[in-house]
Amino acid sequence: MELRGMNERIRALRQQSVSTQPRLSLERADLETDAYEKYEGCVSIPELRALVFRHLMENKTLCINEGELIVGEKGDGPQAAPTFPELCCHTLEDMQIMNDRELISFKVSDADMELQKNKIIPFWEKRSIRNKILNAVSPQWRDCYESGIFTEFMEQRGPGHTVGSENLFKKGFLDYQQEINEAIAALDFQNDPEALSKKEELNAMSICCDAMVILGKRYEALARKEAASCSDPQRKSELLQIAENCAVVPAHRPQTFWQAIQMYWFVHLGVTTELNPWDAYSPGRLDQHLNPYYQNDVQQGILDDAKALELLECLWVKFNNQPAPPKVGITLKESSTYTDFANINTGGITADGEDGVNPVSYLILDCMDEMRLLQPSSNVQISRKTPQRFLKRACEISRKGWGQPAFYNTEEIIQELMNAGKTIEDARKGGTSGCVETGAFGNEAYILTGYFNLPKIFEITLHNGLDPVSGKQLGLPCGSAEDFHTYEQLMEAYQKQIEHFVHIKVDGSNRIESIYAKYMPVPFLSIITNDCISRGKDYNAGGTRYNTSYIQGVGIGTITDSLAAIKKHVYEEKNLSMKELMDALHANFEGYEAVRHLLLNCSPKYGNDDDAADNIMKEVFGIYQKCVTGRPNMRGGQYRINMLPTTCHVYFGEVMLASPDGRLAGRPLSEGISPVQGRDSQGPTAVIRSAAKMDHISTGGTLLNQKFTPSNVAGEKGLDNMAHLIRSYFNLDGHHIQFNVVDRQTLLEAQKHPEDYKDLIVRVAGYSDFFHNLSRALQDEIINRTEQSF
Amino acid sequence: MKIPTFINIQRYSIHDGQGIRTTVFFKGCPLRCVWCHNPESQSFQRQLLFDSSKCCVCGACIASCPQSALSITEGTLRTNWSQCNACDCDFRCEAACIHEARFLSGEQISLEKLLKLLLRDRTFYEESGGGVTLSGGEVMVQDMDYLLQLLQKLKQEEISVNIDTCGYCSYECLEQVLPYVDTFLYDMKAFSDEIHRQYTGVSNQLILDNLKRLSQGGAKINLRIPVICEVNGSDEEMGRMIAFVKEHVRLTQVNLLPYHRAGSDKWERLGMKGETFCPPSPQRMEELKQLWLDAGIGPVYIGG
């Protein structure tokens, strides 16, 4: 299909977005401190947070970038990242690191450095939520946290993963305020002991509505002012239209496609200014929300596809203008991304169960394709009802090799949600956000609490509860490797240790949730998430319709292969003693090459549709899933699991010795539910079959990466086959799949480190073979031809 | 029933027919094509491949060899193949090598196990209109009992089967499998018998005759021609093939497969000597394609 290509406006905006050096902006911290100094102690905590929000919206620097059609920045301009000292207060050293490091730097001005030193640190250092959390958790929790048993998302960032619903496009903030006032009027001070706290929360929400109306008016005024001094007649009229739009939204519901997008963007700014839920705010089913506006405007003759696409592209630039809030301490040093987790779902089905693909869906695909930005992350939901045309168009973009869009299984998501107690309609309106996490959009606070290191717990199991890396006794003393005489005894001990660490993790998460509920309400986010208004309760305190806490299991491939190797060689074939294995692990296999060969090359491996390994995966998954699912959280909901790592499998590998799957000490664990890197040798159908043996429906999302060489997906036939693979995985109830199309660089790496790329199959000539099996000359030839286009 | 030996069962095979397929490579072939890309497919026996580039001359294999067929000379590992008796197809040296320089080709797989394996990807076949491709080596010279039972079971399971064959077998065999086969991928290497004998070791009379009869029997046939300029790439030789096909055979498509040298290191790993040719130029491939199209035969694909 012919692509229109970005027009000049979009090209310039995109260029500005990707070439501007990210920097820190202390304006938010500065204004917030003023507001605290003024209001703290005079009002309730929710009202205080709302007054801070209003103060920010009244006073923040506004910005209309040259040529843009959608206005509003989180900082004072593109790539300016505000800080959130109420959550975590950067030290001067943190700021120096941010400023100086080569990768992912944030420039800090001298004036901001001074401000941090003289105003922000003195005020916030001891008040930050992070400080409260570290004081509130148990010493055990801290030890586990520091040893890499698990991580904690909320230690530096607000509860994230929240997604808007159709409400955003149907109501203005004056409409919400009306609802809030009615809720206040209906409070029962005769009988309801919570009436006062409800009133405080509702008052706070009402103040936030005012704040949004103020922000809109300020942008309207700025646009008019710029229009007055603008000499270019075209830009002048655009600025006037922007002013008109801001006179409507966010105070009132949008009237046009353009206003609907501007409305969303104001809401996004509100959510990410109030607190920093990892910028994981997303518009939900954007194609469905925008479609009525698109249809109406086209009918009115005020919109065509080119204009609609341009407006979507302006929105995409806005997402990309917001780098992730920089972290503090160790996490800052490790953190190597500007990317945050806004994620847009396109396709799927409608609330009444019909195919959800509409003309806007196709425009969004075009937009993804043209923009190729890391933010917003884009995915497609594929249901049985999704037209093949839509799926193939998405495949066509995906095979270009930049990882987007990812593919999600609508029917599976609906089953996940219903299994977790959502109504059918809420389930159909749901989707995935962040990486792959499932939620009921607009109705749920589904909070990620941290990654959970399954292979590390096994390492501790083999050492009688001792962590051999930190030297601390973190686990239960329930036997050492050589005490387990059968596989069943080993698994029993592993299960006990998993239960022990889940217990510690949940204990900490519950304390942290309580801290957020008590000290860090989010009245703005509560306005737009059902049913906080009707319950008079904050989003962070269980006010939403559904309240889930997720714990993310990491390293299922590594743990499966480790257990499979031990089962086979130590317990079944008895050609390796547990002592020799432990000696080999402690020696990082130095002097034990034959043992490593046995573990690495002569053992069942997950990802090859081999039941000997896959049944172990199911067993471990089952233990973990049952251990977590159903535990009550502090917000009236339950804990559930996801199986995803983001990049945590790298960190989790660093805190470990060598493992019984043949992995060397410090090397990354397997990622998501993908097989251990390079260990899948039977091709993608076998990977898919193995992965599908996991009970995806009992999770809140799983992540599968599939690697391809370009020739595997070339031509019309390649597209067809990609589509077939996706549909097949989804027939088997898989949750998510994304494709990496291997580039020249990867092949060069594979040539250097063949052991890491044993799964890499390349099309040789009329047939395919493993890359590592080819002669050097042939490898070179294939590398040379891997630059081909489709 | 004699259980055949297999080189490989390749899942997600997407280049040899409709949809996503699993390709079964039988071991053993009656032809000895000098350009063969998979020379390990010729012998019916299990074989050892030795990749010298992965060998770090640790000598572990020498100790494992009961025949003293291995030695280190001038810093490289040498195999005296005439002394190797394959340890009764067990090749102890393979297990002794932890650097994977030694690789065994050939595994016997029972019918039951093979079927189970082939059915694993059923979802993918059904979604994509794919199925199973039987290839080799040569399928049609394997144990007929095994083959027929395999085909019947796959038919029962509603799985489409293609057979890739060189056609060098008795027609009765082809006739027996015909009801179970969706498409034959039929190889034609040369028309002139002399050329065929010289490069494949056998006459092509039977092959041409079978092709004719199979077509009369109503089979769906994709003709596959490996193009090697020095052997069959002249206008004359191609012209003779075209004339024969035009007169006697109904085809669904033609694949012209340009010769490549990818298999050359495999000959070395087997301790055998192959012959190398010049790969045809893309331009020559186009010219040959045009010859078929001019004769009104198509569609014609280059590669496949």
Side-chain angles (χ1 to χ4, degrees):
Chain A
M1 95 167 257
E2 190 206 349
L3 270 184
R4 286 164 286 252
M6 284 176 274
N7 64 26
E8 217 168 294
R9 177 205 311 275
I10 300 299
R11 203 161 295 156
L13 287 169
R14 188 185 185 284
Q15 183 57 28
Q16 180 189 37
S17 185
V18 298
S19 64
T20 302
Q21 163 65 42
R23 61 191 165 83
L24 225 51
S25 160
L26 287 198
E27 184 183 64
R28 182 188 178 283
D30 191 17
L31 290 170
E32 172 170 49
T33 311
D34 292 343
Y36 263 77
E37 280 169 347
K38 188 167 167 193
Y39 299 114
E40 195 182 25
C42 315
V43 292
S44 70
I45 290 177
E47 288 160 314
L48 172 65
R49 294 300 303 168
L51 289 166
V52 168
F53 186 69
R54 194 180 72 190
H55 190 69
L56 290 169
M57 292 314 192
E58 278 170 343
N59 295 291
K60 78 192 293 277
T61 304
L62 301 189
C63 161
I64 297 180
N65 295 303
E66 186 55 43
E68 72 180 2
L69 301 174
I70 303 297
V71 298
E73 295 287 347
K74 182 166 70 167
D76 49 21
Q79 304 298 346
T83 59
F84 297 78
E86 70 270 47
L87 296 185
C88 56
C89 184
H90 293 97
T91 63
L92 294 177
E93 190 199 351
D94 287 338
M95 299 187 71
Q96 205 61 55
I97 291 171
M98 259 185 266
N99 184 69
D100 296 347
R101 66 179 174 188
E102 257 176 59
L103 289 170
I104 318 293
S105 67
F106 286 88
K107 294 296 162 201
V108 188
S109 70
D110 290 345
D112 277 355
M113 209 60 139
E114 281 300 299
L115 185 65
Q116 186 76 7
K117 184 177 159 195
N118 299 326
K119 183 169 176 182
I120 310 300
I121 293 176
F123 190 84
W124 290 106
E125 197 179 20
K126 295 215 170 73
R127 294 167 181 247
S128 73
I129 287 286
R130 183 162 192 259
N131 211 42
K132 289 190 175 66
I133 288 173
L134 295 179
N135 288 332
V137 292
S138 68
Q140 254 181 329
W141 185 96
R142 272 187 91 131
D143 281 346
C144 291
Y145 172 72
E146 283 162 8
S147 307
I149 307 287
F150 47 70
T151 63
E152 177 51 60
F153 281 97
M154 288 195 283
E155 167 244 329
Q156 302 202 7
R157 291 180 160 196
H161 280 289
T162 186
V163 180
S165 65
E166 71 276 16
N167 285 356
L168 303 185
F169 300 85
K170 288 183 173 164
K171 288 181 193 170
F173 281 87
L174 294 176
D175 302 317
Y176 287 116
Q177 202 163 38
Q178 180 70 30
E179 273 178 50
I180 293 162
N181 288 337
E182 284 163 17
I184 292 174
L187 286 173
D188 180 3
F189 279 92
Q190 300 290 330
N191 300 299
D192 183 356
E194 289 178 13
L196 180 65
S197 62
K198 287 179 183 171
K199 180 159 188 291
E200 289 165 351
E201 175 70 26
L202 290 164
N203 273 347
M205 292 187 204
S206 180
I207 295 167
C208 291
C209 290
D210 290 339
M212 291 306 286
V213 174
I214 291 165
L215 180 70
K217 285 199 173 128
R218 289 183 67 212
Y219 265 108
E220 182 196 348
L222 178 65
R224 285 199 200 288
K225 194 177 138 211
E226 291 200 3
S229 61
C230 179
S231 54
D232 172 4
Q234 196 206 324
R235 183 61 186 158
K236 191 187 191 83
S237 86
E238 284 169 6
L239 285 163
L240 287 172
Q241 185 56 56
I242 289 168
E244 289 299 312
N245 291 344
C246 296
V248 178
V249 296
H252 309 278
R253 66 169 287 174
Q255 303 297 319
T256 64
F257 186 81
W258 191 347
Q259 287 174 11
I261 292 178
Q262 181 66 61
M263 178 71 173
Y264 174 73
W265 190 247
F266 277 137
V267 172
H268 189 97
L269 287 183
V271 174
T272 55
T273 299
E274 179 180 45
L275 217 55
N276 64 351
W278 328 325
D279 276 9
Y281 200 65
S282 302
R285 311 290 285 276
L286 186 63
D287 51 349
Q288 291 185 33
H289 303 327
L290 288 177
N291 192 42
Y293 293 100
Y294 169 86
Q295 298 292 351
N296 190 51
D297 287 9
V298 168
Q299 209 168 24
Q300 304 278 316
I302 56 169
L303 187 73
D304 58 20
D305 281 359
K307 186 75 190 165
L309 181 62
E310 183 180 47
L311 288 165
L312 285 169
E313 292 181 339
C314 282
L315 175 64
W316 253 240
V317 168
K318 297 267 73 163
F319 277 105
N320 200 68
N321 278 355
Q322 296 204 4
K327 300 172 186 171
V328 299
I330 302 285
T331 322
L332 168 70
K333 284 179 198 144
E334 284 164 0
S335 148
S336 56
T337 181
Y338 291 126
T339 305
D340 241 337
F341 293 97
N343 202 338
I344 293 176
N345 289 232
T346 303
I349 61 173
T350 60
D352 56 0
E354 290 191 39
D355 170 28
V357 172
N358 61 46
V360 180
S361 316
Y362 287 99
L363 287 172
I364 290 177
L365 289 182
D366 291 348
C367 173
M368 275 179 215
D369 194 12
E370 291 185 1
M371 300 305 280
R372 291 212 198 174
L373 289 168
L374 291 177
Q375 277 290 291
S377 189
S378 309
N379 69 62
V380 288
Q381 270 197 35
I382 303 301
S383 97
R384 286 194 297 270
K385 294 168 186 168
T386 302
Q388 194 71 357
R389 178 189 155 209
F390 180 78
L391 173 56
K392 280 180 74 176
R393 173 74 182 116
C395 288
E396 194 180 20
I397 301 167
S398 171
R399 75 171 171 188
K400 292 181 182 173
W402 55 292
Q404 288 187 33
F407 297 83
Y408 291 88
N409 181 356
T410 300
E411 278 79 16
E412 192 271 347
I413 288 171
I414 291 171
Q415 287 191 73
E416 270 183 31
L417 287 165
M418 291 187 67
N419 182 40
K422 278 84 172 177
T423 66
I424 177 84
E425 189 175 313
D426 288 346
R428 285 171 179 155
K429 289 198 278 194
T432 56
S433 61
C435 293
V436 297
E437 303 83 303
T438 303
F441 291 175
N443 295 310
E444 182 170 21
Y446 48 115
I447 290 166
L448 271 66
T449 66
Y451 301 108
F452 194 74
N453 194 342
L454 292 166
K456 177 79 191 173
I457 293 170
F458 185 63
E459 181 174 279
I460 288 172
T461 306
L462 292 175
H463 291 86
N464 197 19
L466 184 88
D467 172 14
V469 177
S470 69
K472 287 180 187 165
Q473 181 74 28
L474 302 174
L476 302 167
C478 55
S480 294
E482 289 169 68
D483 300 330
F484 309 126
H485 300 297
T486 63
Y487 175 73
E488 288 68 30
Q489 285 175 358
L490 175 67
M491 286 306 285
E492 198 185 317
Y494 184 40
Q495 177 164 357
K496 276 188 197 150
Q497 301 285 11
I498 288 181
E499 282 164 2
H500 168 74
F501 287 112
V502 166
H503 193 76
I504 296 173
K505 170 72 182 152
V506 166
D507 176 279
S509 292
N510 281 347
R511 296 180 200 215
I512 294 166
E513 280 192 355
S514 303
I515 289 172
Y516 271 95
K518 190 167 176 187
Y519 299 107
M520 205 43 69
V522 278
F524 176 72
L525 184 54
S526 304
I527 297 170
I528 50 176
T529 314
N530 299 327
D531 303 316
C532 295
I533 296 176
S534 61
R535 293 180 179 175
K537 209 167 183 184
D538 192 80
Y539 178 98
N540 279 353
T544 60
R545 190 173 299 166
Y546 309 108
N547 293 279
T548 305
S549 303
Y550 283 129
I551 307 177
Q552 294 74 57
V554 174
I556 190 77
T558 304
I559 180 61
T560 298
D561 290 0
S562 296
L563 283 164
I566 292 179
K567 189 177 185 200
K568 179 175 177 191
H569 297 295
V570 176
Y571 295 117
E572 286 171 5
E573 298 188 357
K574 301 190 197 307
N575 53 355
L576 177 67
S577 72
M578 193 61 108
K579 179 174 187 318
E580 200 180 354
L581 171 67
M582 296 308 291
D583 289 346
L585 297 182
H586 292 143
N588 198 19
F589 295 116
E590 268 171 50
Y592 293 87
E593 285 75 17
V595 173
R596 183 164 188 241
H597 168 69
L598 207 60
L599 301 170
L600 209 52
N601 300 318
C602 311
S603 305
K605 299 286 175 187
Y606 166 69
N608 295 291
D609 195 10
D610 175 354
D611 290 336
D614 298 348
N615 285 340
I616 293 175
M617 177 280 287
K618 288 171 72 170
E619 194 179 353
V620 174
F621 171 84
I623 290 171
Y624 176 56
Q625 190 268 338
K626 285 188 187 71
C627 184
V628 173
T629 307
R631 284 176 188 253
N633 63 19
M634 294 288 106
R635 298 174 291 121
Q638 290 184 342
Y639 282 87
R640 305 186 70 79
I641 63 163
N642 321 99
M643 299 299 284
L644 72 108
T646 315
T647 56
C648 201
H649 59 295
V650 177
Y651 162 62
F652 276 178
E654 283 168 8
V655 300
M656 283 184 63
L657 303 178
S659 45
D661 63 333
R663 180 191 136 278
L664 295 174
R667 297 298 310 270
L669 306 181
S670 61
E671 55 83 26
I673 59 163
S674 310
V676 170
Q677 295 78 349
R679 292 293 138 203
D680 48 320
S681 58
Q682 299 299 309
T685 60
V687 172
I688 281 174
R689 289 251 320 159
S690 281
K693 291 176 196 173
M694 181 178 282
D695 182 7
H696 294 240
I697 292 167
S698 70
T699 73
T702 62
L703 184 146
L704 179 64
N705 257 312
Q706 180 63 50
K707 200 161 29 178
F708 274 124
T709 49
S711 62
N712 253 314
V713 289
E716 193 65 17
K717 204 173 162 186
L719 274 191
D720 282 332
N721 281 324
M722 222 172 145
H724 295 321
L725 269 187
I726 294 164
R727 294 246 193 226
S728 301
Y729 186 46
F730 291 178
N731 289 343
L732 297 170
D733 289 337
H735 173 80
H736 153 279
I737 186 166
Q738 67 191 22
F739 297 93
N740 287 307
V741 179
V742 169
D743 57 5
R744 197 186 146 85
Q745 198 50 42
T746 311
L747 292 177
L748 287 170
E749 279 297 305
Q751 204 170 34
K752 255 190 262 166
H753 307 286
E755 68 281 4
D756 294 339
Y757 293 89
K758 285 188 126 178
D759 59 329
L760 193 58
I761 296 171
V762 291
R763 184 84 178 142
V764 181
Y767 78 103
S768 303
D769 203 346
F770 289 105
F771 187 73
H772 72 88
N773 248 339
L774 303 174
S775 68
R776 174 86 194 192
L778 200 55
Q779 288 182 348
D780 286 340
E781 187 198 317
I782 287 169
I783 289 169
N784 287 334
R785 70 167 119 101
T786 300
E787 291 288 88
Q788 76 193 64
S789 58
F790 300 98
Chain B
M1 183 163 67
K2 183 175 177 299
I3 298 181
T5 301
F6 298 86
I7 302 171
N8 184 20
I9 313 294
Q10 191 184 325
R11 297 166 72 169
Y12 193 66
S13 198
I14 54 171
H15 296 284
D16 58 356
Q18 165 83 28
I20 295 171
R21 315 188 69 85
T22 298
T23 302
V24 178
F25 293 94
F26 286 82
K27 197 164 182 332
C29 183
L31 270 57
R32 290 290 176 269
C33 304
V34 296
W35 57 76
C36 186
H37 300 150
N38 291 308
E40 76 273 28
S41 71
Q42 294 184 348
S43 161
F44 287 79
Q45 305 299 319
R46 192 177 212 198
Q47 283 172 294
L48 179 79
L49 281 83
F50 172 64
D51 181 353
S52 59
S53 71
K54 286 184 181 164
C55 175
C56 35
V57 207
C58 67
C61 53
I62 298 177
S64 76
C65 179
Q67 293 296 109
S68 307
L70 302 167
S71 62
I72 296 174
T73 321
E74 291 162 8
T76 50
L77 193 95
R78 311 264 173 188
T79 311
N80 185 347
W81 290 103
S82 63
Q83 235 165 293
C84 170
N85 71 352
C87 307
D88 264 346
C89 291
D90 196 25
F91 292 102
R92 285 181 214 168
C93 57
E94 190 264 347
C97 178
I98 64 167
H99 303 287
E100 300 194 295
R102 294 173 177 272
F103 173 77
L104 282 183
S105 172
E107 187 192 348
Q108 286 191 309
I109 304 176
S110 71
L111 184 63
E112 196 191 3
K113 193 174 162 197
L114 179 64
L115 268 168
K116 227 169 133 184
L117 198 58
L118 296 178
L119 290 176
R120 282 184 174 265
D121 277 352
R122 180 202 289 270
T123 314
F124 302 93
Y125 311 149
E126 289 176 358
E127 186 60 48
S128 68
V132 168
T133 303
L134 304 181
S135 181
E138 177 51 50
V139 183
M140 296 309 303
V141 296
Q142 307 287 337
D143 185 88
M144 278 310 280
D145 262 4
Y146 186 101
L147 186 61
L148 282 171
Q149 281 192 44
L150 175 65
L151 289 167
Q152 283 159 1
K153 291 265 168 57
L154 288 171
K155 180 94 181 170
Q156 252 172 33
E157 297 289 344
E158 299 278 331
I159 289 172
S160 141
V161 178
N162 292 348
I163 284 186
D164 183 357
T165 178
C166 71
Y168 193 76
C169 60
S170 76
Y171 186 69
E172 287 65 42
C173 291
L174 288 168
E175 202 172 24
Q176 279 179 293
V177 303
L178 188 55
Y180 307 107
V181 174
D182 189 42
T183 302
F184 286 90
L185 313 173
Y186 202 102
D187 297 355
M188 191 190 251
K189 277 130 189 173
F191 184 80
S192 310
D193 199 34
E194 197 182 317
I195 297 177
H196 204 275
R197 280 172 191 277
Q198 185 186 342
Y199 289 101
T200 73
V202 301
S203 158
N204 68 356
Q205 282 316 302
L206 181 62
I207 295 172
L208 295 178
D209 197 42
N210 280 343
L211 177 58
K212 200 157 73 177
R213 291 175 70 181
L214 205 52
S215 179
Q216 285 161 0
K220 246 168 87 182
I221 301 170
N222 291 357
L223 195 67
R224 295 160 76 85
I225 303 171
V227 177
I228 306 118
C229 290
E230 295 91 324
V231 177
N232 61 7
S234 67
D235 281 10
E236 298 72 39
E237 185 60 17
M238 199 57 68
R240 285 192 280 265
M241 290 195 240
I242 291 170
F244 174 81
V245 167
K246 201 171 164 73
E247 193 180 339
H248 300 292
V249 191
R250 274 175 62 100
L251 295 179
T252 43
Q253 73 179 53
V254 179
N255 290 80
L256 300 177
L257 313 170
Y259 167 79
H260 57 82
R261 288 181 183 152
S264 56
D265 34 296
K266 282 194 181 170
W267 287 89
E268 210 178 291
R269 290 178 197 177
L270 282 164
M272 292 160 67
K273 249 188 105 59
E275 213 169 308
T276 52
F277 300 87
C278 285
S281 68
Q283 187 200 343
R284 181 61 189 152
M285 291 304 294
E286 286 299 331
E287 288 167 11
L288 293 174
K289 177 178 170 179
Q290 200 53 48
L291 289 180
W292 285 89
L293 293 176
D294 290 346
I297 304 171
V300 182
Y301 301 100
I302 295 172

